[in-house]
Amino acid sequence: MTLKSSLADHARPAPEKPLHHAGVDRAAIGRLVREFYARLRKNERLGPIFAREIPGDWEPHLEKMTDFWCSVILKTGDYHGRPVPAHLKLGDVTEADFDIWLAMFSQTAAELFGPEIAAVFVDRAERIATSLKLAMFFRLGDRA
Ligand code: HEM
């Protein structure tokens, strides 16, 4: 292996593998999604934002989010949406709101799955949150 290719291999993250665990299937991920959004909807800061954005039937959103998490964790390819535009239109959401979102997600995942599996979910959520925040709050043109 040349030095160049070994450096390139090192810089590139290993492709994520699906999580294989008896307790983590679509049914369990669906329970996590439903419990998490039930809690978010009661949160004093985020609840009103979700109520405004999803005023009607929550079932399609919950199914979409179950597809999303199955794609992220089990690599099922069930999700075909576009998260960035869905969040770009949320003009009043701040970076601090992501901290609330992530703390509640982490707490719910730990309660339902235990700390080790929750850590896998939280790691993915944090990375996706970082890309959403980059898209929402940072623009190259903002540099002084
Ligand atoms: C404060 C933080 C967040 C808020 C307020 C928020 C809010 C929302 C809202 C209101 C929608 C529905 C948009 C619509 O259907 O028109 C949505 C969709 C979605 N959110 Fe978030 N979100 C947050 C963070 C996150 C994070 C951290 C993730 C991933 C780890 C995420 C993943 C998604 C996905 C996959 C969709 C579906 C997009 C689509 O395909 O239509 N969200 N979010």
Side-chain angles (χ1 to χ4, degrees):
M1 190 187 287
T2 66
L3 176 61
K4 198 173 161 199
S5 75
S6 108
L7 281 176
D9 289 345
H10 184 71
R12 195 180 307 126
E16 286 173 3
K17 297 201 173 63
L19 177 69
H20 290 297
H21 190 282
V24 186
D25 56 9
R26 185 176 175 92
I29 289 176
R31 284 193 290 276
L32 169 67
V33 164
R34 279 157 202 280
E35 179 60 27
F36 173 57
Y37 283 99
R39 294 184 191 190
L40 264 191
R41 294 173 75 182
K42 288 189 211 134
N43 179 265
E44 61 174 8
R45 165 71 192 159
L46 296 184
I49 295 174
F50 278 95
R52 181 192 70 212
E53 296 296 325
I54 310 175
D57 184 5
W58 264 72
E59 206 43 44
H61 182 66
L62 297 172
E63 277 302 304
K64 189 196 286 182
M65 295 311 297
T66 303
D67 287 343
F68 171 75
W69 281 107
C70 286
S71 287
V72 170
I73 298 293
L74 307 175
K75 308 292 172 209
T76 54
D78 289 340
Y79 173 74
H80 302 288
R82 297 174 63 219
V84 168
H87 296 87
L88 276 181
K89 66 182 187 186
L90 304 174
D92 54 349
V93 171
T94 65
E95 285 190 73
D97 291 334
F98 275 86
D99 295 338
I100 301 173
W101 192 108
L102 286 166
M104 294 185 75
F105 185 76
S106 169
Q107 175 76 28
T108 313
E111 285 178 31
L112 267 63
F113 287 129
E116 285 177 19
I117 288 173
V120 177
F121 279 81
V122 171
D123 173 68
R124 303 285 198 276
E126 283 176 347
R127 283 195 267 154
I128 298 161
T130 299
S131 1
L132 290 176
K133 285 189 283 184
L134 281 171
M136 291 167 79
F137 306 122
F138 297 96
R139 298 213 171 78
L140 282 174
D142 288 349
R143 282 181 300 177

